[in-house]
Amino acid sequence: MKRALLFMLLFVSVDGIPQNNINAIDRLFKHAVNIENENPLLAQSEALEVILLSRQQHYKKGLMLGNLFISESYVRSKDWEKALFYATEAEKNTAATDSYYMSKALRLKGLGLGQLGFYQTATTQLDKAVYYANKIKNENDKNRSLGFIYADFAINHEEKDQQEDSVKFFYEKSHTFFMKMGATNPHKNRCLAFSNVNLGSFYLKKRQFQKAETHLQFAAEHAKKLKLDFIKIQALSDLGSLHYYQEDYLAAKEYYLQALSEAKKKQRTFYINDLYYNLFRVYAELEVPDSSKYYRIQYIALNDSLANFHKRAVKTSLRLFLDEEQDHMQLSFKKLSFIIVICVLVILLSCIYIKINYKKFSKTLLKKWEIEKLLKEKRELIKQLKSRSKNKEADTKKIVQLAIEGSPLFFVKFKEMYPEFCDKITEKSPAIVYNELKFCALLKLRFSTKEIATYTKSTLKAVESKKYRLRKKLNIPSEVDLYEWIAEM
């Protein structure tokens, strides 16, 4: 009797350990959520701990919540590679019956893919997110989810430079869903701050300053009250740009400096980069050369670092997405194989007397499937190649426009599009300098002598002299066309 009692006590004690661990994980996650506004980096660290402990305990809900939390954290920092990675991990641990969290994971995936340039796939993910959001029973949660999804549609449309009407439609639709939330809902004001900063940014780009200022002031005030640092940074930065466009440079400077202080405090690197550029411009207008030069140097250094980071992010994200697609394909293949085996068994049992004819028919059918599969793959490849060609043409137009405007982004974007060009030129002449490489970039884009002179504010004679010196450095014979030689690079 004593042994039986001891065994029962031991069993209860051992069985209680996992539940205690799960409760501890839930408490740690709740703490991360509570400190997110005050200390986002510590909250992120605690969420990573939640993921680690949940993996050890095989606690799928903990894995889902932890990954969603970190994905959203990286969205606020505009670190799209990591945001996409953690959203994908969250989806893997979310049950299809959990409509709220499934729609959230798909929404974050769609946003990340869109910001990394995979617009078609992003749209597919966001469409799926809408499907799951509409299945949410709680009306407040449904309206909140749909509000964020349609905001992400707008952001991706804006990133792809689609028509302003469609961007405005999605932003206003997002705002409408947030307005439908109950007045006492604790999330409503946070959501409205988010939708107002989006609308303010949109109207700012359209130069509708009065509407923009109304939305941005609303967003800044509510973000300050609710301690939403990323919305506050965006609202202050946009208010700075609004005053910059209105040539009120002192007010613009103050808003930019406030936003930069907040961004540095919360370590929002991508916001810091934009603010360096804006402060460089505003100090140039205020004729404060030392400050203008300082922020220009800060911007160039950070921008080069972020450009390299973005390249790695796109490659990693594409590999991540392809791995996921491969997993789905393997699962589908196993299901298909199982179905084929069952069908073959049924046919063999019922049609033994036509065994020889069946073998011939089976071979013909398999060949047909293979041909259809091959044709489908070819069509998809042609479609992808056409899409890439269109994207490259659009990117080239953007780079040309940056060159015409004399933007400091011109050469950064050029190197992104033609990553090997500068290396090849440098191999030909190691002594070549930065400005000469930039001049080669203009020749690569087929700018004429007159156009180069106009856009670089030089004389025709100065441009011709540059061409002559470039020929000597690169050892290009006089009878060889310089443009053709550059094009072959």
Side-chain angles (χ1 to χ4, degrees):
M1 183 66 182
K2 288 181 179 178
R3 285 183 180 179
L5 184 60
L6 180 63
F7 176 79
M8 288 175 66
L9 288 170
L10 181 62
F11 178 81
V12 170
S13 175
V14 173
D15 187 58
I17 290 173
Q19 187 58 47
N20 289 338
N21 289 341
I22 287 170
N23 290 338
I25 292 169
D26 288 341
R27 286 195 298 272
L28 181 59
F29 179 73
K30 187 176 180 181
H31 184 259
V33 172
N34 290 335
I35 66 169
E36 180 189 10
N37 289 333
E38 292 296 331
N39 195 333
L41 291 180
L42 179 59
Q44 197 176 90
S45 175
E46 291 188 357
L48 285 169
E49 185 70 16
V50 166
I51 292 172
L52 179 64
L53 295 171
S54 297
R55 190 175 288 120
Q56 292 171 356
Q57 298 296 323
H58 304 289
Y59 181 34
K60 295 193 80 171
K61 184 180 178 183
L63 285 169
M64 173 192 72
L65 293 174
N67 280 295
L68 283 174
F69 181 90
I70 295 178
S71 178
E72 284 192 302
S73 177
Y74 281 121
V75 164
R76 296 185 192 104
S77 300
K78 298 186 180 180
D79 190 340
W80 305 114
E81 175 199 8
K82 291 176 183 173
L84 176 58
F85 173 81
Y86 285 103
T88 304
E89 290 297 302
E91 185 193 8
K92 291 176 185 176
N93 292 284
T94 306
T97 53
D98 195 337
S99 302
Y100 177 77
Y101 287 115
M102 181 60 79
S103 71
K104 191 172 186 177
L106 291 166
R107 174 179 71 78
L108 292 168
K109 275 182 68 180
L111 180 59
L113 286 163
Q115 293 301 298
L116 290 166
F118 307 107
Y119 301 113
Q120 187 173 350
T121 312
T123 300
T124 302
Q125 297 298 311
L126 291 175
D127 284 336
K128 288 180 182 177
V130 171
Y131 168 77
Y132 280 102
N134 281 316
K135 294 173 71 175
I136 298 171
K137 293 179 180 178
N138 183 286
E139 285 299 315
N140 278 323
D141 288 344
K142 180 193 290 188
N143 289 324
R144 182 183 174 200
S145 296
L146 288 169
F148 280 116
I149 294 167
Y150 284 111
D152 292 347
F153 267 119
I155 292 166
N156 284 348
H157 273 59
E158 208 164 17
E159 185 70 19
K160 199 181 177 183
D161 292 329
Q162 295 208 354
Q163 291 183 352
E164 288 182 348
D165 288 345
S166 64
V167 176
K168 182 182 178 184
F169 168 79
F170 284 121
Y171 275 138
E172 288 182 343
K173 194 166 185 177
S174 166
H175 186 72
T176 301
F177 277 112
F178 290 144
M179 289 296 292
K180 287 181 181 179
M181 294 170 66
T184 58
N185 188 279
H187 299 291
K188 183 168 185 175
N189 284 333
R190 296 167 63 93
C191 294
L192 288 175
F194 173 74
S195 66
N196 272 278
V197 82
N198 286 336
L199 285 166
S201 297
F202 172 77
Y203 285 120
L204 178 62
K205 288 170 187 172
K206 293 189 70 176
R207 301 294 191 271
Q208 295 183 18
F209 297 130
Q210 190 172 353
K211 286 185 178 180
E213 187 167 16
T214 300
H215 287 292
L216 292 172
Q217 289 289 1
F218 179 95
E221 289 168 13
H222 280 70
K224 184 178 180 181
K225 289 177 187 175
L226 298 166
K227 297 181 180 179
L228 304 173
D229 68 278
F230 63 102
I231 294 178
K232 183 181 176 183
I233 294 165
Q234 185 65 56
L236 290 171
S237 177
D238 284 348
L239 283 166
S241 296
L242 185 148
H243 286 284
Y244 178 87
Y245 295 139
Q246 293 178 324
E247 300 183 5
D248 184 358
Y249 300 122
L250 287 173
K253 181 194 73 171
E254 292 304 316
Y255 277 116
Y256 286 147
L257 288 173
Q258 286 181 55
L260 181 62
S261 173
E262 192 73 23
K264 284 184 174 180
K265 194 187 303 178
K266 301 297 182 180
Q267 298 185 34
R268 304 294 191 189
T269 307
F270 287 84
Y271 288 104
I272 293 170
N273 185 52
D274 292 340
L275 288 162
Y276 280 153
Y277 178 70
N278 287 332
L279 282 164
F280 144 65
R281 290 193 309 162
V282 82
Y283 275 114
E285 294 291 346
L286 289 169
E287 298 181 358
V288 185
D290 289 344
S291 295
S292 180
K293 183 180 178 182
Y294 169 78
Y295 284 111
R296 182 174 178 273
I297 290 168
Q298 296 295 318
Y299 166 73
I300 291 170
L302 186 54
N303 194 62
D304 286 344
S305 172
L306 291 177
N308 292 330
F309 173 81
H310 183 73
K311 279 185 184 178
R312 294 194 302 272
V314 172
K315 289 178 182 177
T316 306
S317 303
L318 180 59
R319 186 169 65 250
L320 170 71
F321 180 70
L322 290 176
D323 288 346
E324 184 192 358
E325 288 297 301
Q326 188 176 8
D327 290 342
H328 286 311
M329 287 176 66
Q330 287 175 350
L331 182 62
S332 299
F333 180 74
K334 287 178 182 178
K335 289 180 180 178
L336 181 62
S337 299
F338 178 76
I339 293 169
I340 290 173
V341 169
I342 295 297
C343 290
V344 170
L345 286 173
V346 171
I347 293 170
L348 284 173
L349 289 172
S350 59
C351 307
I352 293 175
Y353 65 97
I354 56 167
K355 184 178 179 181
I356 297 173
N357 291 328
Y358 171 74
K359 283 183 179 179
K360 291 179 181 179
F361 173 76
S362 179
K363 286 179 181 178
T364 304
L365 187 61
L366 285 172
K367 283 181 181 179
K368 181 185 175 184
W369 284 348
E370 288 172 359
I371 291 168
E372 287 177 350
K373 184 181 177 183
L374 183 62
L375 287 172
K376 185 178 179 182
E377 289 174 350
K378 293 291 184 185
R379 284 195 294 268
E380 286 295 321
L381 181 60
I382 291 168
K383 189 176 179 181
Q384 289 176 11
L385 289 172
K386 285 181 178 179
S387 176
R388 287 177 189 169
S389 176
K390 287 180 181 177
N391 289 338
K392 188 170 183 181
E393 184 180 345
D395 289 343
T396 302
K397 286 181 180 178
K398 286 183 183 178
I399 292 172
V400 168
Q401 187 59 37
L402 289 172
I404 291 170
E405 294 171 355
S407 170
L409 282 175
F410 159 66
F411 197 52
V412 174
K413 294 295 182 182
F414 177 86
K415 286 192 288 184
E416 288 179 11
M417 189 167 181
Y418 302 100
E420 297 177 359
F421 178 76
C422 292
D423 292 338
K424 289 182 179 179
I425 294 290
T426 307
E427 284 176 9
K428 292 284 183 182
S429 175
I432 199 161
V433 297
Y434 175 84
N435 284 335
E436 289 171 329
L437 284 172
K438 192 172 178 182
F439 186 72
C440 288
L442 294 170
L443 295 175
K444 174 77 173 173
L445 295 172
R446 295 282 182 176
F447 281 101
S448 67
T449 301
K450 186 178 179 181
E451 287 172 330
I452 294 173
T454 302
Y455 302 142
T456 59
K457 298 180 181 177
S458 306
T459 63
L460 291 173
K461 187 176 179 180
V463 175
E464 291 293 350
S465 296
K466 282 185 181 179
K467 285 186 176 180
Y468 175 76
R469 289 196 298 273
L470 195 62
R471 277 183 178 275
K472 289 191 70 177
K473 271 200 175 183
L474 296 173
N475 197 24
I476 304 170
S478 58
E479 65 272 12
V480 175
D481 184 277
L482 179 60
Y483 284 97
E484 294 302 324
W485 191 93
I486 291 287
E488 289 178 2
M489 288 293 102

